[in-house]
Amino acid sequence: MSAKHFLNISDLTVGELELILDLSVRPINTLGRPLEGRGAALIFEKPSNRTRHSMEMAVVQLGGHPVYTRGEEVGIDVRETAEDIAEVMAGYHGLLAARVFRHDVVTRMATVSPVPVVNMLSDYSHPLQALADTLTMRQTIGALKDRSVAWSGDYNNVARSLAEACVMLGAKFSIATPPAYAPQAAEIARINSLGSGEFVATTDPTSAVVGADAVHTDVWVSMGQEAEAAEKEKVFLSYKVTSELMNKAKPDAQFFHCLPAHRGFEVDAAVIDGAASRVIPQAHNRMHSARGALAFVLGVGQ
């Protein structure tokens, strides 16, 4: 039997996505200890606060031993190929997880690994963040079917994974980006084929946010894109989530940000630190949803 990998939200069926979210809120003692006596290799080409802590604790809660490995320790495709690293580490561990710059690294690992490979972030997608986002929205605004979720800012890896999850769960996902950063028509069509929800794109933040139940954003400059910072700050200035923009959403709309955040850039302090902000529960849910995802790839509940 081949290993069950988790590289993108779109790798899942709608039923599997719902199962992971359900596993995420189940009491830990009902999940068993599927990693008992086994390790989990956590490879970090890119550092992270939430991802490291949430994944290490999720592994421990499932009975395993997390082994944190920095990118320079393995030198993916410099010292060793991604394939060699995956095949060697699979002999030590019950699962592999990688936080990488290039998405092809995790896909190549998954091609050869006999144990599950989990994408902790790549330049293409951030499925673990989307799980935490959807879990938090379900807890704060209710089931996502027929809900309206807005995003103002860059169409990046986080936005892509969240769009996939929202459409699969039946929500309308509206994104506002500058024209040069908008998702292509083929990308919109691909995501709209995933479920009963709807993915729509606009260049007008107000249009995206009007009537929204939840408003999301992210940093404009991701790790590794620092050379683009000055230009992006100018282009994205009108996409900042301000109190005025939040007032266009529903009166009880909630605000979300995957963190780290730059107050005064993509979001005003009054919003992220205000009563509508759910960024701290969202961050805490990184651990719970990671536990659900790992339990899923290890066969719990199936």
Side-chain angles (χ1 to χ4, degrees):
M1 180 177 176
S2 60
K4 185 185 294 293
H5 306 298
F6 180 43
L7 308 185
N8 305 290
I9 291 293
S10 57
D11 293 343
L12 306 171
T13 65
V14 174
E16 288 172 335
L17 176 55
E18 293 277 9
L19 173 59
I20 291 176
L21 294 173
D22 290 344
L23 290 171
S24 301
V25 296
R26 274 177 47 175
I28 296 172
N29 62 6
T30 69
L31 298 175
R33 293 176 66 82
L35 281 172
E36 184 75 54
R38 295 192 287 171
L42 309 179
I43 305 168
F44 282 75
E45 279 194 317
K46 303 174 75 170
S48 173
N49 174 11
R50 282 151 295 281
T51 302
R52 178 175 181 179
H53 285 267
S54 62
M55 285 291 285
E56 288 198 12
M57 288 308 303
V59 169
V60 170
Q61 290 165 352
L62 295 175
H65 178 78
V67 178
Y68 173 82
T69 303
R70 300 192 309 273
E72 61 267 28
E73 294 179 86
V74 289
I76 299 173
D77 292 332
V78 177
R79 293 186 65 240
E80 300 184 64
T81 66
E83 290 85 354
D84 285 352
I85 292 167
E87 289 192 278
V88 169
M89 286 191 171
Y92 307 143
H93 299 286
L95 66 86
L96 312 179
R99 181 178 170 91
V100 298
F101 286 96
R102 302 189 332 270
H103 188 73
D104 74 282
V105 169
V106 289
T107 61
R108 289 160 52 208
M109 285 181 165
T111 299
V112 300
S113 176
V115 301
V117 174
V118 175
N119 178 11
M120 296 192 294
L121 173 140
S122 69
D123 59 352
Y124 180 77
S125 65
H126 197 352
L128 293 178
Q129 184 63 55
L131 293 178
D133 295 348
T134 50
L135 179 61
T136 312
M137 286 191 290
R138 284 184 14 158
Q139 293 169 337
T140 56
I141 67 174
L144 292 188
K145 183 173 175 56
D146 298 325
R147 294 286 192 169
S148 177
V149 179
W151 178 288
S152 182
D154 196 7
Y155 184 62
N156 59 11
N157 49 359
V158 178
R160 175 179 287 107
S161 293
L162 182 58
E164 292 176 344
C166 285
V167 169
M168 291 173 69
L169 296 172
K172 179 181 179 181
F173 184 84
S174 302
I175 186 167
T177 66
Y181 295 86
Q184 299 298 307
E187 170 79 342
I188 295 171
R190 179 188 69 81
I191 293 177
N192 275 325
S193 71
L194 298 176
S196 61
E198 182 183 14
F199 179 28
V200 297
T202 179
T203 59
D204 178 20
T206 298
S207 176
V209 169
V210 165
D213 298 284
V215 178
H216 291 250
T217 193
D218 189 12
V219 296
W220 298 333
V221 181
S222 298
M223 196 179 304
Q225 300 177 343
E226 288 79 8
E228 304 172 29
E231 179 61 27
K232 276 196 162 185
E233 286 172 11
K234 290 188 293 185
V235 172
F236 281 90
L237 186 60
S238 61
Y239 293 85
K240 178 193 303 185
V241 180
T242 62
S243 297
E244 290 74 19
L245 187 62
M246 281 297 297
N247 287 338
K248 305 295 183 183
K250 289 183 178 177
D252 58 351
Q254 311 290 295
F255 173 76
F256 300 83
H257 191 304
C258 62
L259 301 179
H262 298 122
R263 288 162 174 81
F265 287 86
E266 72 272 6
V267 59
D268 279 344
V271 174
I272 194 169
D273 299 322
S277 178
R278 295 295 174 265
V279 298
I280 300 304
Q282 184 184 2
H284 291 166
N285 273 333
R286 286 293 307 274
M287 178 179 71
H288 303 305
S289 56
R291 186 175 63 246
L294 297 187
F296 168 76
V297 299
L298 293 166
V300 176
Q302 299 162 67

